[in-house]
Each structure stands twice: as C-alpha cells, then as structure tokens.
Amino acid sequence: MKVAVVTGASKGIGRAIAKALAKEGYKLALGARSVEMLEELSREIGGAFYSYLDVSKPESVAEFAEKVLKEFGGVDLLVANAGIPMGGRLDEVSEEDMKRVFDVNTFGVWRTIKAFLPSLKERKGTVVVVTSYISTMILPNAGPYVASKWAARAITKTFQLENPEVKFIELRPGKVDTYFYGKPGRKIEEGFMKPEDVAELLISLLKLPEHVLVEDVLFRSIY
Ligand SMILES: NC(=O)c1ccc[n+]([C@@H]2O[C@H](COP(=O)([O-])OP(=O)(O)OC[C@H]3O[C@@H](n4cnc5c(N)ncnc54)[C@H](OP(=O)(O)O)[C@@H]3O)[C@@H](O)[C@H]2O)c1
C-alpha cells in the first residue's frame, strides 16, 4: 500500500485530495496547523495519521517529517499543497507580509520537499505541488502571492531537473471554492471549480502509465 503525505490537509483542496487518496487505498499522513480539523478528517476517512504542521517553520517541517517517516518507514507521494493568499500592491505590502507569503507558499514547498526527498528518491516517488494558474502570469494588486507562486514553480522545476528519479507534477488550478476566498459556498457559474474537481484530476494523473511524466497542468472552470 502506498503512503501519501498531504500538507494543508485540514481544508479546501488538500482535504479533498486526502479524501480521494484514501478512497484509492493510500495510507495517509496529514499535516496542517488546525489539528482538530485533521482529527475530524481522519475519523471521516476511517483513520489516518495526522500531526501538527506549520510549513513556514523549519523545525515544524523537520519534526513532522521525522514522525511520518517513523510511522511509515517511507513515502511514495508528497502533495505540497499548503498555501495562503496575499494581495496588495508591491509598493504598499509590508516587509512582514511579503516574508510571510514566501515563507508558506515558496519556502514551505521547498523545505517540505527537501525533508521527504531522500525517501521519495528511494521509492521513486511522486511530488505534487499545488501552485496556481498564476504561476506564469502577472496580476496587479496580487504581486506578493503571484511572485511566491512563480518561485514555487521554479523550485518545483529545479527539483525535477536535479532529481530525475522522482516525478514532480505542478498542479495549476484556476479559482477553486475554498476558504482561500473567504467562506466556501460559491456557485460553479461564478467561475469556481470545486476542491473535488482538483482531487479528481490528480487521481487521474496518478493512474497514468509509469513512463509518463506530466510536468504541469493548467486547468480552470469553463465560466
Ligand atoms: N482556492 C483557489 O482558488 C486556488 C487556486 C489556485 C491555487 N490554490 C492553491 O491551493 C492551495 C490550497 O488552498 P485552498 O484553496 O484549499 O485554500 P484553504 O481552503 O484556505 O486551505 C489552505 C490549506 O493550507 C493550510 N495552511 C495554510 N498555512 C499553512 C501553514 N503555515 N502550514 C501548514 N498548512 C498551512 C491550511 O491549514 P491550516 O490553516 O489548518 O494550517 C489549509 O489546510 C494553496 O497553495 C493555494 O495557493 C488555490
């Protein structure tokens, strides 16, 4: 049975991905800061390993990885999904906010992959990084978030070139109805996909033949 780690599993896309992977028979290690929500999810999917994880803190990532590797002995799939929004003009955003968004969306991805890489290499595993459709686009008033996702894309692609024995997939969703935009509950016609749509796509990618590498996928609502 394959072992999958999902960061940011407490809500939104990560939660939907965790549920879909559980259905596919993966053994799961769930990480996020909201441990009560992880506990509830674990119960919902019939029992999964979960632990506090703050990807913006090097010591938290190290501790999480140590616990997961001790529990399972290795991992086959890492879904680096944890992320936060950060809008604002670049000439107005504070030093603190700029650092915060990079610490989660960029360094968080880098340090999580780094922590699990030896095991992923050993098992010829797969890393899925949830960036965004904006990882190659420019939007005004969203520079801090956009820049953090361009950098996460660069990190993903560099890891791939340096570690050909591991598959790196960059998932680039358009707008998804999660807590990212406040409380979820929006209609599909408003241009939002459901978190389950992202999970369904990921499962279909994981079922492709072994010799196929999907480098990135840009997908969005038709509206
Ligand atoms: N929603 C969209 O339209 C959209 C579009 C493209 C890409 N994305 C990306 O998709 C990913 C998931 O976002 P979402 O839409 O599912 O938003 P969400 O509903 O707000 O979920 C975000 C998840 O990330 C976790 N998280 C945030 N900061 C964290 C930290 N420091 N350490 C560990 N976990 C952390 C949250 O858990 P805790 O708060 O419990 O820590 C939560 O589980 C993000 O990377 C986001 O940039 C979203």
Side-chain angles (χ1 to χ4, degrees):
M1 214 185 269
K2 290 197 169 178
V3 177
V5 177
V6 183
T7 74
S10 60
K11 291 176 234 160
I13 294 171
R15 194 179 180 96
I17 287 176
K19 282 192 201 174
L21 289 171
K23 240 189 200 165
E24 292 295 318
Y26 281 80
K27 283 196 272 183
L28 287 174
L30 313 171
R33 293 164 306 169
S34 315
V35 180
E36 326 74 54
M37 294 179 97
L38 294 180
E39 187 186 358
E40 183 201 289
L41 172 61
S42 169
R43 249 185 284 118
E44 203 181 318
I45 60 180
F49 174 92
Y50 62 89
S51 184
Y52 177 87
L53 170 67
D54 183 344
V55 297
S56 72
K57 305 266 184 328
E59 52 297 347
S60 176
V61 175
E63 199 179 311
F64 177 76
E66 197 185 322
K67 279 191 204 161
V68 172
L69 293 170
K70 194 168 165 209
E71 176 78 16
F72 296 106
V75 301
D76 303 279
L77 173 65
L78 166 64
V79 183
N81 160 77
I84 55 168
M86 187 64 72
R89 288 174 56 100
L90 284 183
D91 55 0
E92 285 174 0
V93 65
S94 68
E95 185 82 15
E96 195 191 3
D97 282 349
M98 196 67 178
K99 280 186 177 152
R100 194 154 69 88
V101 70
F102 269 79
D103 234 337
V104 179
N105 295 359
T106 310
F107 302 134
V109 165
W110 164 71
R111 56 174 76 97
T112 310
I113 295 174
K114 200 169 164 224
F116 286 102
L117 193 59
S119 175
L120 287 158
K121 282 172 90 156
E122 205 179 285
R123 295 200 177 189
K124 296 195 183 340
T126 300
V127 175
V128 176
V129 180
V130 182
T131 60
S132 166
Y133 70 102
I134 53 80
S135 74
T136 62
M137 300 175 195
I138 303 293
L139 282 179
N141 303 312
Y145 179 71
V146 173
S148 75
K149 291 292 186 177
W150 275 65
R153 173 178 166 88
I155 281 171
T156 308
K157 304 294 177 204
T158 308
F159 267 123
Q160 179 66 84
L161 293 179
E162 292 174 351
N163 302 278
E165 57 276 71
V166 177
K167 285 182 180 173
F168 289 82
I169 303 174
E170 185 196 0
L171 276 193
R172 303 178 56 202
K175 289 195 287 179
V176 185
D177 183 27
T178 66
Y179 287 95
F180 194 81
Y181 290 99
K183 214 172 152 38
R186 295 163 195 87
K187 293 200 179 76
I188 289 185
E189 293 73 22
E190 292 176 63
F192 288 86
M193 295 184 287
K194 291 182 284 178
E196 291 75 21
D197 301 332
V198 183
E200 197 177 324
L201 174 69
L202 174 56
I203 298 298
S204 69
L205 295 177
L206 295 173
K207 287 183 176 169
L208 288 170
E210 192 57 40
H211 63 275
V212 178
L213 170 65
V214 177
E215 294 187 11
D216 49 54
V217 189
L218 173 63
F219 57 110
R220 60 172 176 83
S221 158
I222 59 166
Y223 294 102

